[in-house]
Each structure stands twice: as C-alpha cells, then as structure tokens.
C-alpha cells in the first residue's frame, strides 16, 4: 500500500465529518498565503473551519506571479479582502541559496530551472517583502494585509509589523 493508497482509504473515514455542501466564496473573506511546510496545520493554528478561507501555499509562502493570480481570483471572483501571510522558522528555503539550488538541480537532472528558488536568510524581512508586494499590486482589492511567522518549535504565531 503506498502513501497515496493510505490517503484514499483515509477519505472513507473522513466522510463521517464531511460538513456538507458550502458556498464557494470563503465565509470569512480571508486568503492565507503560506509556506508548504508539513508542520503547519493552517486550519488548526488559525482557528479556521472548512469553507472559511482560501489557502495558497508554495515553498516559502513567497509572493510569485502565480500567488498574485490566486489572490486576484480569490478577491475579484470570490469576495475575499483580507490577506494573511504565514511564514515560519526553520524553513527549507533557508537551507540553500538560489545559486546552490539551481546548481543542484542542474547537476542532478542536466537542466537548470528557469526560475529562482527564492531562498532567504531573514524570515522577518522575507515576510515584510511579501506584504509590500501584495500591498503594492495595483489590481488587488485587499483591505487588510498582515504578516506572521509561525514558530515550528512552540506552535506560536508572531505578527510582523
Ligand atoms: Zn517553509
């Protein structure tokens, strides 16, 4: 049985807590932009229920063109207005550099990726940069943009001013 087989089997058990049909627009009008880190259970740590928020995740929770595409769709088509960023301590993106990562991929596959990995050293600075990008994107409708760092050692969320 592979991990994916186990997931498909787990769905059977989850049907017991399925909340039923819900509106497509998130009830709390919030979009969360977060790192893909496996230690961040976003719904639990932010007190969200199914149907409450959009969750947009990628490596680092960085604001890429595709993140902006998702936030724009979230806001213009589905009515969200607040954006909260969730980065975290001990991120995988702090363990390499853009150059080293591209070198690794090229060495392993023979192909150099056309995009930067968007590694960083200072997580607070990275959150501020992400907040600035969202605030300065002229086609968004955000009424509130806030950034946080989740401590994977304590479970505590720290807001970045
Ligand atoms: Zn991360």
């Amino acid at each position: 049985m592979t991990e994916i087989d186990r997931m498909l089997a787990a769905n059977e058990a989850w049907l017991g807590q399925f909340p039923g049909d819900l509106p497509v627009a998130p009830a709390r009008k919030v979009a969360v932009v977060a790192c893909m880190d496996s230690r961040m259970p976003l719904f639990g740590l932010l007190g969200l229920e199914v149907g409450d928020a959009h969750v947009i995740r990628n490596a680092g929770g960085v604001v890429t063109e595709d993140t902006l595409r998702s936030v724009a769709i979230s806001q213009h088509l589905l009515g969200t207005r607040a954006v909260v960023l969730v980065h975290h301590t001990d991120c995988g993106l702090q363990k390499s550099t853009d150059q080293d990562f591209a070198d690794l991929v090229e060495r392993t596959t023979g192909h150099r990726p056309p995009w930067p990995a968007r590694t960083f050293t200072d997580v607070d600075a990275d959150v501020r940069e992400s907040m600035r990008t969202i605030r300065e994107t002229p086609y968004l409708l955000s009424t509130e943009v806030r950034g946080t760092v989740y401590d994977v050692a304590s479970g505590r969320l720290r807001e970045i001013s």
Side-chain angles (χ1 to χ4, degrees), residues 35-37 39-40 58-61 87-93 120:
C35 183
M36 66 185 184
D37 193 280
R39 298 163 294 180
M40 290 205 294
N58 64 30
H87 294 204
H88 65 97
T89 58
D90 191 37
C91 186
L93 281 184
F120 59 90

Side-chain angles (χ1 to χ4, degrees), residues 64-126:
T64 63
E65 281 298 302
D66 195 63
T67 309
L68 293 172
R69 180 186 70 87
S70 294
V71 174
I73 289 164
S74 175
Q75 294 185 343
H76 287 274
L77 291 183
L78 297 165
T80 69
R81 288 295 179 269
V83 181
V84 60
L85 303 163
V86 186
H87 294 204
H88 65 97
T89 58
D90 191 37
C91 186
L93 281 184
Q94 291 171 303
K95 302 181 191 311
S96 187
T97 65
D98 287 6
Q99 176 79 37
D100 286 351
F101 181 76
D103 289 347
L104 170 67
V105 173
E106 188 169 22
R107 211 167 45 244
T108 310
T109 68
H111 299 279
R112 197 165 188 86
W115 32 259
R118 302 278 297 268
T119 59
F120 59 90
T121 50
D122 181 338
V123 66
D124 289 22
D126 200 58

